[in-house]
């Protein structure tokens, strides 16, 4: 009887153990299956996440705050700028970028300008087709150096601001990209066609070239241009630019006429260790037209700039000379600056400008005034 | 004279279009060594270097397409620089 009882007990224990082991194995198999499913789901999510990262939009931009103390003039917190840049891209085939330039004027009103808004379709590794309003490909400063966190001084070189000697933007089409290396040298190009600029008298009485991109084109007038830049050594670039076409002028009668328009430019930059040297020359020439009372002429400007970055103490002294000539005056400027880099994109700048202008005859003219400037700028 | 310049510019555009299409896209394999070299050569020409940790991986992909247009980079150079930057990110800022 005892043996029977013992046998029964052992049978129950063995069968229970076997059942439990079998059940556990099933659970483990299920868990393994679940882990496998989760891994696949995770991989899919990662792939989708990467795809989303390549197609979507991003907000970047820069901002700056200025102070100016002018010789024989007033001192003021002279500028507030917020320039958001919107980026959209579809994989590595298409990208759109648009920048707004939002500033406060002397009356406290907010001015908003569309600096550029252009889409680029990348046909292949060496060709992008850009359409819209794009920064002028002529030269370097307007296109690449104007953002306040990039410009090493609080001000622009004379002649390189709006209505100066350097064209600012175009509305049209551009072909652009980098080219295959030749003799181990890199190079890049832009070829473009855009609506013609305008010529006339500004509100302050100056005769100016309106080289800001426009959506109107008198009689379909266009300008055609190109820039080619070569990198003879890695950290050096030498560029040449040219454009030609028509410029339109609105007469007092309201009629529009066209005049010849030609642009030439040359630029260089060389970065060696902590030294950065750069320079640029641009000229715009407007032809004569006997139907107009405004004389044509040449607007030309150039600058050269040197800076040195003491990375151990985050300081960067800068010196720049710029010169601007137009049919009404000659102007030049020395600018000496010192920057403190809180980070590579957060910069405090101080500078002193020595300004000389032949045309200081107007009452209250401040063209010859020297200025102390300070600016806090950051890019994001 | 103007017509000659226009013809040259149009011809240049057509020449570039045809030739770059024939060259087509280079092999897709990103080269981080070339990326490091082009990054060092190109970025400092205009602005202070941004550290890989300054932007997220996603933001870098947008930023590089922007710089492709702005700095006149080839597609291959753009991919190489992006690969170098992403490879340079530390584990903690790899997002």
């Amino acid at each position: 009887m005892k043996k029977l009882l013992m046998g029964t007990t052992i049978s129950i224990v063995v069968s229970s153990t076997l059942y439990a082991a079998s059940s556990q194995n099933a659970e483990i198999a299920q868990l393994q299956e679940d882990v496998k499913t989760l891994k696949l789901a995770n991989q899919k999510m990662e792939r989708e996440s990467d795809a989303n990262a390549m197609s979507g939009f991003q907000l970047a931009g820069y901002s700056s705050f200025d102070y100016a103390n002018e010789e024989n003039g007033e001192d003021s917190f002279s500028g507030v700028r917020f320039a958001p840049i919107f980026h959209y891209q579809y994989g590595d085939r298409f990208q759109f970028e648009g920048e707004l330039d939002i500033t406060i004027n002397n009356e406290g009103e907010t001015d908003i300008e569309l600096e550029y808004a252009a889409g680029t379709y990348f046909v292949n590794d060496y060709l992008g087709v850009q359409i819209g309003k794009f920064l002028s490909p002529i030269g370097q400063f307007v296109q690449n150096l104007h953002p306040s966190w990039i410009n090493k001084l609080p001000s622009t070189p004379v002649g390189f601001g709006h209505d100066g000697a350097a064209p600012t933007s175009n509305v049209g089409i551009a072909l652009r990209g980098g080219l295959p290396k030749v003799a181990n040298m890199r190079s890049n190009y832009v070829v473009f066609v855009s609506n013609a600029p305008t010529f006339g008298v500004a509100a302050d009485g100056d005769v100016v070239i309106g080289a800001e991109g426009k959506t109107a084109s008198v009689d379909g007038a266009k300008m055609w241009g190109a820039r080619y830049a070569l990198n003879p050594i890695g950290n050096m670039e030498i560029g040449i630019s040219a454009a030609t076409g028509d410029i339109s002028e609105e007469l007092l009668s309201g009629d529009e006429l066209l005049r010849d328009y030609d642009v030439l430019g040359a630029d260089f930059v060389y970065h060696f260790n902590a030294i950065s040297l750069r320079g640029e020359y641009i000229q715009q020439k407007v032809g004569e037209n006997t139907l107009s009372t405004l004389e044509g002429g040449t607007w030309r400007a150039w600058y050269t700039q040197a800076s040195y970055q003491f990375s151990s103490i985050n300081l960067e002294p800068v010196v720049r000379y710029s010169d601007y000539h137009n049919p009404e005056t000659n102007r030049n400027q020395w600018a000496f600056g010192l920057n403190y880099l809180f980070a590579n994109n957060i910069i405090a700048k101080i500078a002193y400008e020595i300004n000389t202008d032949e045309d200081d005859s107007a009452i209250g003219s401040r063209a010859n005034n020297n200025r102390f400037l300070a600016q806090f700028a950051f890019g994001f | 004279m103007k017509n000659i310049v226009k013809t040259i510019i149009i011809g240049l555009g057509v020449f570039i279009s045809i030739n770059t299409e024939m060259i087509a896209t280079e092999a897709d394999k990103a080269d981080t060594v070339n990326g490091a070299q082009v990054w060092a050569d190109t970025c400092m020409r205009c602005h202070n270097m941004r550290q890989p940790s300054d932007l997220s991986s996603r933001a870098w992909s947008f930023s590089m397409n922007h710089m492709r247009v702005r700095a006149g980079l080839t597609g291959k150079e753009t991919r190489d620089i992006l690969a170098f930057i992403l490879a340079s990110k530390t584990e903690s800022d790899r997002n």
Side-chain angles (χ1 to χ4, degrees), chain A residues 241-283:
Chain A
S241 323
T244 189
D246 298 309
I247 189 166
S248 66
E249 178 190 345
E250 186 177 358
L251 303 175
L252 289 173
S253 63
D255 292 337
E256 302 264 5
L257 59 82
L258 296 176
R259 305 166 73 139
D260 286 342
Y261 174 68
D262 297 293
V263 188
L264 279 176
D267 57 82
F268 81 94
V269 57
Y270 180 45
H271 190 87
F272 176 70
N273 290 334
I275 301 170
S276 179
L277 304 171
R278 64 172 66 253
E280 186 167 349
Y281 172 85
I282 288 185
Q283 74 166 44

Side-chain angles (χ1 to χ4, degrees), chain A residues 89 97 124-126 278 344, chain B residues 20 26 45 49 65-66 75:
Chain A
Q89 67 183 21
E97 52 184 352
N124 58 42
D125 269 5
Y126 308 102
R278 64 172 66 253
N344 279 348
Chain B
T20 55
E26 286 184 12
R45 286 208 295 260
M49 232 40 139
N65 262 346
H66 168 70

Side-chain angles (χ1 to χ4, degrees), chain A residues 30-204:
Chain A
Q30 184 59 47
L31 279 172
Q32 283 175 334
E33 191 61 32
D34 289 348
V35 168
K36 198 175 167 184
T37 309
L38 279 171
K39 274 185 178 172
L40 286 172
N42 190 41
Q43 282 170 0
K44 189 183 172 207
M45 277 172 65
E46 280 179 356
R47 279 198 303 274
E48 283 174 356
S49 169
D50 284 344
N52 287 337
M54 288 299 289
S55 295
F57 66 88
Q58 183 212 17
L59 191 64
Y62 57 94
S63 188
S64 55
F65 312 98
D66 296 80
Y67 168 81
N69 189 331
E70 202 170 305
E71 181 192 31
N72 303 326
E74 58 200 44
D75 72 300
S76 64
F77 294 100
S78 54
V80 177
R81 164 166 278 121
F82 171 49
I85 301 173
F86 177 93
H87 292 146
Y88 168 79
Q89 67 183 21
Y90 184 80
D92 58 0
R93 272 296 174 195
F94 175 78
Q95 83 136 5
F96 166 83
E97 52 184 352
E99 177 185 325
L100 292 177
D101 187 31
I102 305 171
T103 53
I104 296 177
N105 64 25
N106 292 341
E107 280 74 43
E109 296 158 339
T110 301
D111 293 333
I112 302 176
E113 287 184 24
L114 183 62
E115 284 283 289
Y116 56 85
T120 305
Y121 180 76
F122 300 109
V123 178
N124 58 42
D125 269 5
Y126 308 102
L127 173 65
V129 180
Q130 187 175 46
I131 185 162
K133 180 180 182 183
F134 46 87
L135 293 173
S136 171
I138 305 288
Q140 229 176 29
F141 188 89
V142 170
Q143 189 173 209
N144 287 353
L145 306 175
H146 80 275
S148 42
W149 78 274
I150 294 177
N151 185 7
K152 291 185 183 297
L153 283 159
S155 60
T156 57
V158 289
F160 284 80
H162 288 261
D163 296 337
T168 47
S169 57
N170 301 84
V171 173
I173 299 175
L175 306 180
R176 63 194 311 158
L179 292 169
K181 280 185 179 177
V182 175
N184 211 32
M185 287 188 286
R186 296 167 55 219
S187 62
N188 61 80
Y189 68 93
V190 186
V191 180
F192 68 96
V193 57
S194 71
N195 289 336
T198 55
F199 185 59
V201 181
D204 61 3

